[in-house]
Amino acid sequence: MKPIVALVGRPNVGKSTLFNRLTRTRDALVSDTPGVTRDRIYGTCAYGERDFLLVDTGGLETEAEGGIELLAAEQARQAIRDAELVVFLVDGRLGLHPEDAAIAEELRRMQVPVLLVVNKSEDLEPTTVSAEFYALGLGAPLPVSAAANQGMGRLVDLVEERLPPAPEEEEELPGIRIAMVGRPNVGKSTLVNALLGEPRMITYDRPGTTRDAIHTVLERDGQTYTLIDTAGVRRRSRIHETLEKFSTLKAIQAMEAADVVFLLVDAQEGVTDQDARLARLVRDAGRGVVLAVNKWDHLDDQQKKRLRRTLDLKLVTPLYYAPLRYISALYGTGVGHLLETAEAIYGSYTKELSTAELNRVLNEATEAHPPPVRGGFRPKLRYAHQGAKRPPTVVIHGSRPNTLPDNYLRYLERTFQKHFKLEGVPLRLQFRKQESPYKGRARHKEAPKSVRKKKARKARKG
């Protein structure tokens, strides 16, 4: 499991801006109005050498008396309890605030490792802006600016230094690891029971029965699987229990630990915005995925037709590579071939891609549809090779790859995907800028034909 780092501080000190900077996303809302972030938001920071889960929290107000401010403060405290390290943000422009001292005292009582960071320090002298924050007694403050992207490398280095060391040998879950992910009460535990052939998971109609990720090992036809049953992931605005917030984090960690994700959708409730958000999380995690529409047998023909249209719009588009399965976990309908599908997806997830074949496909793709001209120049994509597995990653070398538009990137991605028959897994593209072999050299410019003829006539006469 990736270690957890929590961003904590008063409202409006720049936690969400720092979260977006470190995760390279825009998942956290940023506003000059204090208190925009109420719930915890999770993201992966791959900025340095060691990945970790970053948690953005609402403002931690020690004097919060009630209402939403109290709920936000409680969520922040739960994040602190979950975390291996707390990054405590203070405002360098406003200076030391009494609430900063109160938060520092609470962090000391909770006995958690803390890194003190002075944000909004751009255009300020580092020693001066940090001086007064030594009074908090949390060690040397680090001046940064999340908005101006200053000090991020040093911040990540210090985070990595203060995290507990990674286990030398993490306990590997055996076989193909399959995570059951979905909203509460979509039938994840029921599906695990159907695959096992016995009621080993607790199933109950009230949402939220499974609070943590549960690992169950299954062997079938000589293949081992680890089934990971997770708590349902609710819409953030509807979560009030800190325990359910913790379950959300566990579900995200389960995705990180899995090779294949079974993303379950409730056919009776239809496709919700939260299902679409989960689809994006699975896609961003780079895991293999099966879209499993549960309780399909409860719909009539007209309802099935409407649901298919919604599925295409909200889920199949972002997860175009995912096989779609219609099942009834309760009665076992359509469940029989799910493990075979997972095994096929795992084969694609770990597939070796031939360098010669990658280059042939790249040349054919660029000849059929050359990259569009940008700024008077056409990018040149020269050669490709496999960079990684899990998921398959193709590294392409060429000139001006940063000018390629998104639709051309999608074209290349789907071309490789189709040729190599990568079922159920995303294919990631990475680009390496390669300078033209003629750069820096004086290139011979041939004279016009009429001038060449004139010179030839003079040479014959002379």
Side-chain angles (χ1 to χ4, degrees):
M1 295 293 185
K2 294 179 181 178
I4 300 168
V5 176
L7 298 178
V8 172
R10 292 186 295 110
N12 211 33
V13 294
K15 297 184 296 297
S16 296
T17 304
L18 182 59
F19 175 91
N20 288 344
R21 180 70 68 185
L22 292 178
T23 60
R24 295 184 174 94
T25 67
R26 295 182 181 178
D27 290 348
L29 295 176
V30 177
S31 171
D32 291 334
T33 305
V36 169
T37 303
R38 300 296 188 186
D39 295 317
R40 285 183 282 166
I41 300 172
Y42 307 104
T44 298
C45 177
Y47 202 104
E49 294 182 359
R50 184 180 178 191
D51 293 358
F52 53 86
L53 279 175
L54 196 64
V55 185
D56 183 24
T57 66
L60 180 54
E61 298 180 78
T62 58
E63 300 299 323
E65 296 180 357
I68 198 163
E69 287 78 13
L70 181 60
L71 287 173
E74 284 304 313
Q75 288 298 325
R77 291 184 177 95
Q78 182 63 44
I80 293 167
R81 287 188 283 269
D82 295 343
E84 277 80 18
L85 176 68
V86 170
V87 173
F88 177 25
L89 247 66
V90 292
D91 190 324
R93 293 198 175 275
L94 294 180
L96 185 60
H97 189 280
E99 190 67 23
D100 293 330
I103 294 172
E105 180 59 34
E106 184 166 351
L107 291 174
R108 274 193 292 271
R109 285 200 304 270
M110 297 179 78
Q111 296 182 339
V112 292
V114 178
L115 173 59
L116 179 60
V117 175
V118 184
N119 194 26
K120 307 182 185 180
S121 298
E122 66 273 21
D123 304 325
L124 300 175
E125 205 284 317
T127 305
T128 305
V129 75
S130 302
E132 61 182 322
F133 292 103
Y134 279 91
L136 295 175
L138 296 175
L142 174 67
V144 304
S145 172
N149 196 22
Q150 295 176 3
M152 296 298 104
R154 179 59 180 155
L155 170 58
V156 173
D157 288 343
L158 286 176
V159 168
E160 290 177 344
E161 286 176 14
R162 301 190 184 195
L163 285 174
E168 291 184 10
E169 290 186 11
E170 289 192 10
E171 184 182 349
E172 278 288 323
L173 298 174
I176 300 172
R177 297 164 295 188
I178 304 173
M180 311 292 166
V181 173
R183 292 181 292 109
N185 210 31
V186 294
K188 298 182 294 297
S189 297
T190 306
L191 178 57
V192 172
N193 288 339
L195 292 170
L196 292 171
E198 59 184 31
R200 202 181 300 188
M201 298 291 104
I202 299 172
T203 58
Y204 182 51
D205 285 340
R206 188 175 73 83
T209 304
T210 304
R211 293 296 193 180
D212 208 338
I214 302 168
H215 301 163
T216 307
V217 178
L218 166 67
E219 290 190 12
R220 183 170 295 175
D221 299 328
Q223 176 63 57
T224 302
Y225 306 88
T226 296
L227 307 180
I228 308 171
D229 186 23
T230 66
V233 182
R234 294 178 179 273
R235 281 177 50 191
R236 289 197 301 270
S237 60
R238 290 186 181 175
I239 304 175
H240 300 295
E241 297 179 70
T242 57
L243 187 54
E244 288 199 2
K245 275 293 190 177
F246 182 72
S247 298
T248 304
L249 179 57
K250 287 295 182 184
I252 294 171
Q253 287 184 315
M255 288 187 208
E256 297 283 350
D259 301 309
V260 180
V261 172
F262 286 175
L263 179 55
L264 270 71
V265 177
D266 190 322
Q268 289 181 294
E269 293 188 14
V271 182
T272 67
D273 290 340
Q274 181 64 0
D275 291 321
R277 180 175 175 272
L278 280 171
R280 290 193 295 272
L281 284 172
V282 174
R283 180 196 62 197
D284 293 344
R287 299 303 183 261
V289 60
V290 177
L291 280 174
V293 183
N294 193 25
K295 309 177 188 179
W296 180 249
D297 52 325
H298 289 79
L299 306 186
D300 59 34
D301 291 342
Q302 193 63 31
Q303 289 172 323
K304 289 178 180 178
K305 187 176 179 181
R306 284 198 300 269
L307 181 58
R308 283 193 177 101
R309 284 198 298 265
T310 312
L311 282 167
D312 287 342
L313 181 65
K314 289 191 172 184
L315 296 186
V316 175
T317 298
L319 296 175
Y320 67 91
Y321 49 84
L324 186 60
R325 300 289 184 264
Y326 300 99
I327 66 170
S328 170
L330 183 61
Y331 299 110
T333 309
V335 171
H337 297 293
L338 281 179
L339 292 179
E340 294 174 16
T341 303
E343 190 172 353
I345 290 173
Y346 183 76
S348 296
Y349 190 59
T350 57
K351 193 168 189 176
E352 290 272 2
L353 307 180
S354 159
T355 299
E357 200 67 11
L358 282 170
N359 282 293
R360 188 177 71 79
V361 175
L362 177 64
N363 290 335
E364 290 177 357
T366 53
E367 285 176 10
H369 298 285
V373 174
R374 289 292 182 94
F377 296 96
R378 188 186 302 279
K380 300 288 186 183
L381 305 182
R382 293 189 170 86
Y383 65 95
H385 60 86
Q386 185 171 7
K389 302 177 186 176
R390 300 171 181 259
T393 302
V394 177
V395 181
I396 300 176
H397 297 255
S399 61
R400 295 185 173 86
N402 57 316
T403 64
L404 292 169
D406 289 344
N407 60 346
Y408 197 79
L409 298 180
R410 287 192 294 270
Y411 160 68
L412 289 176
E413 180 184 316
R414 295 190 186 207
T415 300
F416 285 119
Q417 196 118 23
K418 182 178 179 181
H419 178 82
F420 289 99
K421 298 178 181 177
L422 300 176
E423 180 186 10
V425 297
L427 182 134
R428 289 181 171 171
L429 297 178
Q430 294 179 357
F431 291 89
R432 299 285 184 269
K433 186 177 179 181
Q434 183 185 43
E435 300 294 350
S436 167
Y438 296 104
K439 187 171 182 180
R441 300 183 190 175
R443 299 171 70 177
H444 173 66
K445 187 175 181 180
E446 193 173 36
K449 190 174 182 180
S450 59
V451 175
R452 296 201 307 273
K453 283 184 176 180
K454 192 174 181 179
K455 286 183 178 181
R457 284 197 299 271
K458 282 184 179 180
R460 287 195 295 270
K461 288 178 183 178

